[in-house]
Amino acid sequence: MLKRWLWGTVLTLVLAVTGVIIYYGYSIVHFANSISTVTSASSSNDGSDKDENSNASLVQIPKWEGQERVNILLIGGDSRGDDAGRSDSVMVASIDPVSKKAHLFSVLRDTYVDIPGHSKSRLNAAFSYGGAELTKQTVSNLLGIPIQHYVYTDFTGFISLVDSLGGIDIDVEKDMYYTSKADKHMYDIDLKKGLQHMDGKTALQYVRFRHDATSDFTRTQRQRIFMTELAKKMQSSTSLFKVPEILEAVAPYIQTDLSPAQMLKLASLGFDIRVNEMNQHQIPPNKLLTNERAGSAQVLGVNVPRLQAYIQKLFEEDHSDSNEAETGQSTSNE
């Protein structure tokens, strides 16, 4: 489902805004130190301070100093009880600190990929084999880009986030219905076409639905739509006053290898990105997909070199557009 991958961008926006107001400084510090930080990992391109544990530095929101592209893996898990589960949603948020251009990639979970140490399988199997780290490595190899960090959440975290925001307005494109005894009907889906104000449970139904002819293709599209609306809500003046409550609600459900200082630096970078201008993509795109069989199962094949070339072209266009904008501005100032 849309889960924490959605948080990679959203969390960045929230932290950036809260850092501007001293009152929210304490809430950020408390949140950053209460989430599940797997390691105190620092990347060579993130401009990390050596004293990352200093509360004073957290409150001041340090700037992101690196110039290399930052890629964050956003994973929404479907773990239930003792079952680690598979990744229900996999996305990559990619930000260029120089051009301030951002991309959001939804990776189809049935993509047939090489999983390091486990031969080939569907992408969502990587999480059950080796958690977020193996998923990060697998997606990095698929896209041909370094993925520095990850953020993970599950159904409960997603519901808590939406509820803490007071819900989201979404125009549902059609009736959606699905029921499952296996989950004791906890995650049944029953939505009607039309504009709706969704709480966390209803929103989870919307972003999870894939029981129609278009399956995961339109589901990932809905997830990108929902993520954009969620980010807008996070930036709204109403939500700014609820930041401490929001951070407190989601803290127990986030796992990440970002340190508190790195999150705050990423926040300052993310705040420069206009949500409405974020480029959104299905990966692999339809033109690069092939239908294949793995044993008796139907999977989605892809020409990996062509996919990686497609990704690199998108990034090159970012720099081209940025250079043209700078040239135009320079000419107008003469």
Side-chain angles (χ1 to χ4, degrees), residues 17 21 23-24 234 236-246:
V17 173
I21 306 173
Y23 168 70
Y24 291 141
M234 296 290 286
S236 71
S237 58
T238 301
S239 293
L240 288 182
F241 293 100
K242 300 181 65 177
V243 167
E245 176 186 339
I246 295 169

Side-chain angles (χ1 to χ4, degrees), residues 168-234:
I168 302 291
D169 294 326
I170 291 290
D171 192 0
V172 181
E173 71 271 21
K174 62 182 179 181
D175 290 350
M176 300 177 186
Y177 181 78
Y178 172 75
T179 183
S180 173
K181 293 181 179 179
D183 292 321
K184 299 180 180 179
H185 300 289
M186 288 181 61
Y187 301 109
D188 285 357
I189 298 172
D190 188 7
L191 297 176
K192 302 301 180 184
K193 179 180 178 179
L195 182 64
Q196 298 186 36
H197 182 75
M198 297 182 174
D199 61 10
K201 290 184 177 180
T202 307
L204 181 62
Q205 294 180 34
Y206 176 74
V207 299
R208 290 191 65 231
F209 183 75
R210 66 186 186 96
H211 303 280
D212 55 12
T214 51
S215 188
D216 216 30
F217 295 92
T218 47
R219 186 181 77 143
T220 55
Q221 182 182 34
R222 282 191 291 272
Q223 290 174 353
R224 293 191 297 272
I225 291 172
F226 188 87
M227 183 172 181
T228 300
E229 293 304 314
L230 184 67
K232 290 178 182 177
K233 186 69 176 286
M234 296 290 286

Side-chain angles (χ1 to χ4, degrees), residues 32-91:
N33 286 286
S34 64
I35 65 173
S36 177
T37 302
V38 177
T39 68
S40 297
S42 60
S43 178
S44 59
N45 69 319
D46 66 3
S48 299
D49 293 334
K50 292 186 177 180
D51 185 13
E52 291 189 341
N53 295 320
S54 169
N55 285 351
S57 65
L58 294 178
V59 174
Q60 294 175 4
I61 306 293
K63 291 292 184 179
W64 190 276
E65 299 165 358
Q67 295 188 346
E68 294 182 23
R69 179 175 291 275
V70 184
N71 302 306
I72 310 294
L73 178 68
L74 312 171
I75 307 172
D78 66 349
S79 58
R80 305 166 199 185
D82 296 330
D83 180 9
R86 297 191 175 198
S87 53
D88 195 60
S89 297
V90 177
M91 303 181 87

